[in-house]
Amino acid sequence: MEICDNFLNKDYFNGICDFIMSPYFQQWAYCPKVTASDKHMNNSNYYFIHRLYEGNKPVSNEFSIIDGIVDQLKCNCLIRARILLYTNVGKFVKHGLHTDYDYSHKAALLYLNTCNGYTGFENDVKVESVENRLVIFDGSTPHHSTTCTDEQSRYVLSINYF
């Protein structure tokens, strides 16, 4: 696992955040559960997603906002890129463990805002959501997301690649 604080140039990072967190960015899809293992959880286990890249092609007109990130990660092959939005549901929710894909690949999570949410791994390893922090790990490693209770929402840019 690799953690890099202040991953992006401040101006580029702020531009991405200003765009995504703007009330004019309304291209969110509702997902009623975070992982298949969360089917037993209650109504507070949902999130919103904006797909940028999937199925070997860009699937959003907004895909170009991550060009600089993809370049900086030195991606040889992009698998998937998404923006994740977890709303504050009035309580802290820890989602179920999952893997992104069954095969070894790189997963990069860029936290767009600071909050008390985190990405958790087995053995109680936690990577806190800190603005402009990037964590890179093997996406076939079990991990989980959380909501937050100290901010209105938790924003994460998720990229899977080789």
Side-chain angles (χ1 to χ4, degrees):
M1 179 180 307
E2 178 183 343
I3 298 173
C4 180
D5 286 331
N6 300 308
F7 177 68
L8 295 175
N9 162 295
K10 187 175 182 173
D11 290 335
Y12 179 46
F13 178 79
N14 288 338
I16 289 172
C17 291
D18 289 347
F19 179 72
I20 291 171
M21 295 177 192
S22 162
Y24 302 105
F25 186 81
Q26 300 177 355
Q27 303 167 22
W28 297 102
Y30 170 77
C31 297
K33 61 184 178 178
V34 178
T35 70
S37 65
D38 289 338
K39 61 186 171 195
H40 64 282
M41 296 181 79
N42 60 27
N43 292 338
S44 60
N45 185 44
Y46 63 88
Y47 73 124
F48 295 89
I49 187 172
H50 179 83
R51 290 173 178 84
L52 295 167
Y53 188 93
E54 202 167 68
N56 296 318
K57 65 181 185 246
V59 292
S60 168
N61 293 332
E62 315 308 337
F63 173 71
S64 64
I65 66 169
I66 65 165
D67 284 347
I69 299 169
V70 170
D71 290 345
Q72 199 164 331
L73 289 173
K74 297 182 174 109
C75 296
N76 292 323
C77 178
L78 195 57
I79 302 169
R80 178 175 71 180
R82 308 175 303 161
I83 306 165
L84 311 174
L85 167 60
Y86 305 94
T87 60
N88 183 333
V89 294
K91 62 183 177 178
F92 194 80
V93 179
K94 177 181 162 184
H95 304 121
L97 283 171
H98 71 280
T99 59
D100 293 344
Y101 294 98
D102 294 337
Y103 50 85
S104 184
H105 68 284
K106 291 185 178 183
L109 301 177
L110 178 65
Y111 303 111
L112 302 180
N113 66 320
T114 298
C115 63
N116 65 355
Y118 64 87
T119 303
F121 298 86
E122 294 177 318
N123 302 323
D124 294 323
V125 173
K126 294 179 183 177
V127 179
E128 305 292 333
S129 289
V130 175
E131 175 181 291
N132 203 8
R133 171 177 284 170
L134 180 87
V135 59
I136 299 173
F137 58 96
D138 186 325
S140 66
T141 301
H143 58 283
H144 70 85
S145 57
T146 69
T147 60
C148 68
T149 59
D150 62 338
E151 293 292 334
Q152 187 176 12
S153 300
R154 178 176 179 235
Y155 293 87
V156 180
L157 175 61
S158 172
I159 299 175
N160 300 92
Y161 66 102
F162 293 108

